[in-house]
Amino acid sequence: QVQLQESGPGLVEPSETLSLTCAVSGGSISSDNWWNWFRQPPGKGLEWIGEIHHGGTTHYTPSLKGRVTISVDMSQNQFSLRLTSITAADTAVYYCARNALRGYYADYWGQGTLVTVSS
Amino acid sequence: QSALTQPASVSGSPGQSITISCTGTSSDVGVYNYVSWYQQHPGKAPKLMIYDVSNRPSGVSNRFSGSKSGNTASLTISGLQAEDEAEYYCISYTNSNSYVFGTGTKVSVL
């Protein structure tokens, strides 16, 4: 059973950089799956942030391009999210998830981690 | 890239059937059969209910079904139960190698 666990600071100051990590267990980050980040502002809908394949190919949502970087660390079996120049609008629960093999849907999700942007 | 359009809320009595629509464009829903649906209870992570328009993952009740016509996908819940009360989101792959979510629909069981 694949499990994903997000980790990172729960509070980040405006204009700083948000960094989160997703640890994968029960499966290998080197598999042929794509690995995703999503987010959900309090009381609002879900947003797809981007995805990465272990080979390094990434895709990002157009609205965050230029601010977002997703990377993979195969030695630690984890992948990470980096979002720069953050504002209060980036306050959200951030989820990591795995796409099904050769699929276009996320079948395993982390529990989510709340990141609040505030000084 | 605009969000897919879903009704804000849908309600039904126990045992009834309801349908949630998800309207996109010829750049997403209309061109790919890569629409999935997620159920989300408050404070919980989304749960996959339907993938590739109409496929049900193992363990999901057969009361949930999906379909698509043109630029609109639909999720039908038959035999509505109290436990189905939740927020539902559709999501589609797009022609720019990205994904776009629907606006979300709150399902209430009367």
Side-chain angles (χ1 to χ4, degrees):
Chain A
Q1 177 84 342
V2 175
Q3 292 185 314
L4 298 96
Q5 179 68 58
E6 306 89 349
S7 62
L11 180 65
V12 185
E13 294 197 358
S15 80
E16 296 294 307
T17 296
L18 180 162
S19 295
L20 295 173
T21 296
C22 180
V24 178
S25 58
S28 173
I29 199 87
S30 301
S31 61
D32 208 23
N33 302 84
W34 287 80
W35 304 89
N36 295 266
W37 285 99
F38 299 88
R39 68 179 182 178
Q40 185 171 37
K44 297 188 178 181
L46 291 161
E47 178 184 23
W48 177 78
I49 297 172
E51 64 181 356
I52 189 166
H53 187 269
H54 70 83
T57 302
T58 54
H59 300 123
Y60 301 121
T61 187
S63 63
L64 293 177
K65 266 182 185 173
R67 290 207 298 139
V68 62
T69 303
I70 297 175
S71 59
V72 65
D73 183 343
M74 287 186 280
S75 67
Q76 297 292 320
N77 212 41
Q78 65 187 28
F79 62 108
S80 300
L81 170 71
R82 189 169 178 269
L83 187 62
T84 61
S85 304
I86 58 171
T87 69
D90 296 309
T91 293
V93 174
Y94 285 77
Y95 295 98
C96 60
R98 186 197 79 167
N99 264 20
L101 193 64
R102 300 182 199 91
Y104 294 80
Y105 57 95
D107 55 355
Y108 286 96
W109 292 66
Q111 64 186 26
T113 186
L114 175 63
V115 177
T116 301
V117 180
S118 175
S119 54
Chain B
Q1 187 175 2
S2 300
L4 309 177
T5 301
Q6 297 180 232
S9 63
V10 173
S11 61
S13 299
Q16 284 187 329
S17 292
I18 61 168
T19 296
I20 304 168
S21 61
C22 169
T23 300
T25 70
S26 56
S27 297
D28 38 65
V29 176
V31 72
Y32 295 105
N33 287 326
Y34 298 138
V35 177
S36 49
W37 289 89
Y38 292 88
Q39 176 193 67
Q40 188 180 36
H41 287 107
K44 300 294 187 181
K47 175 187 176 184
L48 179 68
M49 306 302 284
I50 294 287
Y51 66 94
D52 295 351
V53 173
S54 60
N55 293 291
R56 243 184 347 267
S58 173
V60 171
S61 171
N62 59 8
R63 298 185 298 105
F64 291 84
S65 61
S67 62
K68 190 186 89 168
S69 177
N71 293 340
T72 298
S74 299
L75 174 71
T76 297
I77 309 175
S78 51
L80 199 61
Q81 298 180 1
E83 68 207 49
D84 300 332
E85 189 161 288
E87 194 82 19
Y88 290 82
Y89 294 92
C90 60
I91 179 173
S92 174
Y93 186 68
T94 83
N95 63 2
S96 53
N97 287 324
S98 63
Y99 293 84
V100 60
F101 271 102
T103 49
T105 299
K106 181 173 176 55
V107 168
S108 299
V109 181
L110 304 174

